[in-house]
Amino acid sequence: MKDNIFNLAAAVCSVMVMMTVIPSCSKDVPIGDPLDIDTGYSLPQEGASEEDNARIMDIYERWGSYLLYRIDADDVFWQQISGNASTGGRVNKYTEGDPSYVGDMLDYLDKVWWRYFPDDFMKTGGAPYRIYIVEEYYVERDFGGGDIQKYPADFYIGDNFIVLGGMSTVASLDEATLKSKKIALITALWTEYVSSGVLTTPTEFYTVSDYTTKPEMTYNPSTYSYEYTPEQLDALRNRGFIPNYSQYGYSVYNEIYMKYSETNDTWSYGDPRTNDFNYYIAQILNASEAEAAEFLKYGTVATKWNIILDYYKDNYGIDLRAIATD
């Protein structure tokens, strides 16, 4: 079978050479002008007001992104999430929205996303190729025996597309809810931007702190756990380490280093450098001014904090703290 595959590949290569599609199969060469690719959609779509469709056309012209409210389900979720009835098989689903709410959704996305990122960034990967706006996005889980559960979510980020729900409700969100949804969306997008290479990270950040020497912790017999004394926590901050953000408040388990016993300790799970950077991003995007001030009174923390802020301002025109405090 393997020989047949190799023989077929050789035959195809030979035919392509004879047809002069490419002069050789041994190296990459130009093959002519790029072809127009059918996106499967045309703009403007029908149903929204002329004003809202004009805004959608402006998005396309500025960023090259298709913002769509009339959607083909097979196009969005062409592959279901793995699983089966016995394990709670999961399938992505959505409910299409009423086009009369398109303007509300455009206003919402500008408030929680677009206005914080410059056009140059958005048109070079900051805006996904397709932005789907819907009434509701949810995951449906089938546990078998007719037990089907529905789990709504605000958004779903896929391979160069995003699905965002809430078309009929976003206009009525209060300021606190609007801010929490903004932070959740941008945090998820930031992770995607970094993992896909749309954003790079400042290498200087990783040169400031020592990721080898273990911090000191003290066993507390009353709680049967290791904790940082005030002096040890100061030492940790002076080394430039801050905890991961939690909406539930401080926990020792959010620190980059944790000791569970004399023989069990860890520099968080995964690469401590990556986690350290992610903890800073989480705090920069979430911490109040008072919370940030508590961290920034430590010189090494302030150095790393400002490395991040300056890097994204200078290289991408993104003000991360404006996202948190606006």
Side-chain angles (χ1 to χ4, degrees), residues 59-70:
I59 288 168
Y60 174 75
E61 290 165 1
R62 286 161 57 199
W63 306 335
S65 295
Y66 285 80
L67 191 142
L68 305 160
Y69 54 88
R70 297 290 193 196

Side-chain angles (χ1 to χ4, degrees), residues 173-287:
L173 297 175
D174 59 54
E175 288 301 315
T177 303
L178 196 65
K179 182 172 182 178
S180 67
K181 287 182 180 291
K182 172 184 70 174
I183 298 302
L185 175 61
I186 291 183
T187 298
L189 284 167
W190 198 270
T191 300
E192 178 65 22
Y193 290 152
V194 172
S195 65
S196 65
V198 174
L199 286 174
T200 57
T201 58
T203 56
E204 182 185 0
F205 174 86
Y206 305 104
T207 67
V208 178
S209 294
D210 171 11
Y211 297 96
T212 303
T213 306
K214 295 178 179 180
E216 293 291 330
M217 296 190 74
T218 299
Y219 182 72
N220 184 341
S222 64
T223 61
Y224 304 101
S225 63
Y226 280 84
E227 299 174 358
Y228 289 98
T229 66
E231 294 76 18
Q232 289 168 343
L233 198 59
D234 270 347
L236 192 69
R237 299 288 178 265
N238 282 321
R239 290 179 59 177
F241 295 119
I242 60 177
N244 194 15
Y245 177 80
S246 171
Q247 61 179 315
Y248 304 108
Y250 177 78
S251 169
V252 67
Y253 297 101
N254 288 333
E255 296 290 356
I256 197 165
Y257 174 83
M258 187 63 197
K259 190 171 185 177
Y260 302 97
S261 72
E262 284 302 314
T263 58
N264 183 8
D265 63 338
T266 179
W267 278 95
S268 66
Y269 292 99
D271 181 356
R273 292 167 178 79
T274 299
N275 288 330
D276 187 26
F277 179 80
N278 289 339
Y279 290 3
Y280 267 82
I281 291 294
Q283 291 288 4
I284 287 170
L285 287 175
N286 285 278

